[in-house]
Amino acid sequence: MSSTQDPPAEAGRLRGHLRLPGAVALAITVVVGSGALVLPGIVYGRVGEAALYTWIAASAAAVPLLIVFARLGAAHPGAGGVAGFAQAAFGRHAAAGMEVLALGTFGLGIPAIALTGANYLTALPGLQAVPATAAAAALLAGAAGVVAAGVSLSTRVQVVLALVLTVMLLVIGVLAVGSGEPVRHLPPLEPGAVVTGVLVIGAVFFAFTGWEMLSFTTEEYADPERDFPRVVVISFVIVVVMYLLLALGVQTLLARDDADALAAPVGALVAEAVSPGAAGVVAVLGVVIIAANLIGAVWGASRLVMSSAREGLLPRPLAHLGGSAQPRRAVAAALAGFLAVLAANGTGLLSLAELLTIAGQNFFLMYLVCAAAYARLFRGGHRVFGIAVTAVLGGVAVFSFGPWQLAYCAALLSAGAGVWALRSRRVSRTPRTGGRS
């Protein structure tokens, strides 16, 4: 038998053998998505050279959330991820609600990522005639195939993709900065410029989401207590350096009034710093970024499906681990759900903007629940920190979300808790005949 196959799982749990290099690669590919290709131009177009303050402020604002995820992931590793944190803090009913909220979030957000990637895939020579829905479905099927093949292969693929996208984006940023006079384009050191940049922080915060997906992979860490915080820190530093270089490169080489360049800033940087004929590199880079993003996303989503089935919320067969210790049924179920959402998009029932908007608000509510779980699970100064983060996130949700948005999230949470209550009541009324329940 090949040594590259994944070892068998024990007691229905995934084998913990994900180590630091592979975990860091997974983190980078989960976080760095399509936002890296478009957001530097969007923000520069809005606030000019103060945009660098926007990226610095967003990086700083992400730190408290990363502390929350790093400590929770180290202390409570499991395939349930954020739902596992909710269960540890508030019990199984709350965890079931979080599972439904997360399923609803990934079910919309991951197909949206695939549709974004389809735009890059169909820009490649010979693929221009492929429908966007078909291209998105192919990207999702490919990602699911890599994940179903096993963690050994998935990790190797993610390491390669992470190296490619990191090196390419860093090189583009360095070339862009080196091709101009960046010192002349730094934002002025004055309060007004700082405030201008900070006020549009929400426009780029999407680029700093993704670490929450890693929480669903902690059961597969060889040493989650030691490595998970390290993974968060290392990947955060790499991502921030990458984003700041791209942002500085954009305001060094591109004109703020060039709408076409700012709509595709990375492509414009390549054209300016390298050659207009090298624009095809950006299409390849876009496919690499989205493919890597999708593999990490499907990896996390399939673990959520498996964990929910293992806990009894979803059908038990979805928790099955095959001979290679992989939840292939959960991967297939997740893929089927994603393809159904793509079909809804293709028929006009759900637009890409609606998919991104609903997924984004759900992610934010997941952060809020995790911060509350942190405040509940830790003591002393950590509890004060958790309460402060919860209060800030709660205030943002109340003032930023409309009533229907909050109602939708509340409905998902309530549906999960309600379904679990019914299932647990039914189980409690069923006589046990021995054996494991």
Side-chain angles (χ1 to χ4, degrees):
M1 184 172 290
S2 172
S3 61
T4 62
Q5 291 184 338
D6 297 314
E10 299 178 5
R13 293 181 64 84
L14 295 166
R15 182 68 177 265
H17 58 279
L18 189 59
R19 300 190 181 277
L20 194 62
V24 170
L26 178 62
I28 292 172
T29 56
V30 166
V31 174
V32 179
S34 57
L37 299 175
V38 297
L39 289 177
I42 291 174
V43 181
Y44 180 51
R46 287 189 185 182
V47 298
E49 292 172 354
L52 200 61
Y53 287 138
T54 306
W55 289 95
I56 293 172
S59 302
V63 171
L65 292 176
L66 296 187
I67 292 173
V68 167
F69 284 118
R71 284 188 59 84
L72 285 174
H76 302 278
V82 295
F85 305 156
Q87 180 162 330
F90 307 114
R92 180 59 202 153
H93 286 76
M98 276 291 284
E99 287 169 8
V100 172
L101 179 63
L103 288 169
T105 303
F106 299 158
L108 300 181
I110 294 175
I113 296 172
L115 286 168
T116 303
N119 295 329
Y120 292 97
L121 186 62
T122 54
L124 296 175
L127 299 178
Q128 290 87 347
V130 177
T133 302
L139 287 171
L140 280 170
V146 171
V147 174
V151 173
S152 296
L153 175 61
S154 300
T155 302
R156 288 198 297 272
V157 171
Q158 289 298 78
V159 169
V160 172
L161 292 178
L163 285 173
V164 171
L165 75 87
T166 300
V167 170
M168 288 184 73
L169 287 176
L170 287 175
V171 167
I172 290 171
V174 169
L175 288 175
V177 172
S179 299
E181 298 181 54
V183 175
R184 292 179 54 192
H185 299 277
L186 291 174
L189 294 172
E190 56 186 37
V194 175
V195 171
T196 298
V198 171
L199 285 178
V200 296
I201 187 175
V204 301
F205 196 76
F206 179 76
F208 291 88
T209 61
W211 278 281
E212 71 287 337
M213 287 290 293
L214 297 179
S215 64
F216 296 96
T217 68
T218 51
E219 187 174 303
E220 296 165 87
Y221 276 57
D223 189 347
E225 185 175 359
R226 181 195 66 185
D227 286 343
F228 190 65
R230 294 182 179 183
V231 167
V232 171
V233 172
I234 294 171
S235 60
F236 178 71
V237 171
I238 293 172
V239 168
V240 168
V241 170
M242 186 188 308
Y243 287 165
L244 292 180
L245 271 175
L246 288 175
L248 184 56
V250 164
Q251 61 194 60
T252 298
L253 284 189
L254 304 184
R256 185 180 175 185
D257 58 357
D258 188 343
D260 291 336
L262 297 185
V266 176
L269 289 181
V270 172
E272 289 285 338
V274 183
S275 166
V281 173
V282 179
V284 175
L285 176 61
V287 173
V288 170
I289 288 177
I290 298 302
N293 210 224
L294 286 174
I295 292 172
V298 172
W299 190 336
S302 65
R303 273 46 180 178
L304 170 62
V305 171
M306 182 205 71
S307 176
S308 296
R310 194 166 61 189
E311 294 290 344
L313 184 69
L314 295 180
R316 293 280 187 184
L318 294 179
H320 174 75
L321 297 180
S324 60
Q326 291 305 302
R328 293 198 173 102
R329 294 179 184 177
V331 174
L335 176 61
F338 300 150
L339 295 179
V341 173
L342 282 182
N345 171 264
T347 57
L349 293 177
L350 285 170
S351 69
L352 178 58
E354 288 171 330
L355 294 177
L356 290 171
T357 299
I358 297 171
Q361 72 185 31
N362 287 5
F363 269 121
F364 193 90
L365 267 295
M366 288 165 58
Y367 301 152
L368 176 58
V369 174
C370 288
Y374 186 96
R376 179 72 180 270
L377 291 170
F378 295 100
R379 301 187 179 278
H382 293 292
R383 172 164 293 180
V384 174
F385 171 76
I387 292 172
V389 175
T390 303
V392 171
L393 294 179
V396 172
V398 169
F399 289 105
S400 300
F401 291 176
W404 70 269
Q405 293 173 312
L406 293 173
Y408 172 75
C409 292
L412 290 178
L413 291 168
S414 300
V419 169
W420 174 253
L422 291 174
R423 289 180 67 89
S424 58
R425 190 175 304 150
R426 190 180 307 139
V427 170
S428 66
R429 291 176 179 173
T430 302
R432 295 190 178 185
T433 58
R436 189 175 177 180
S437 58

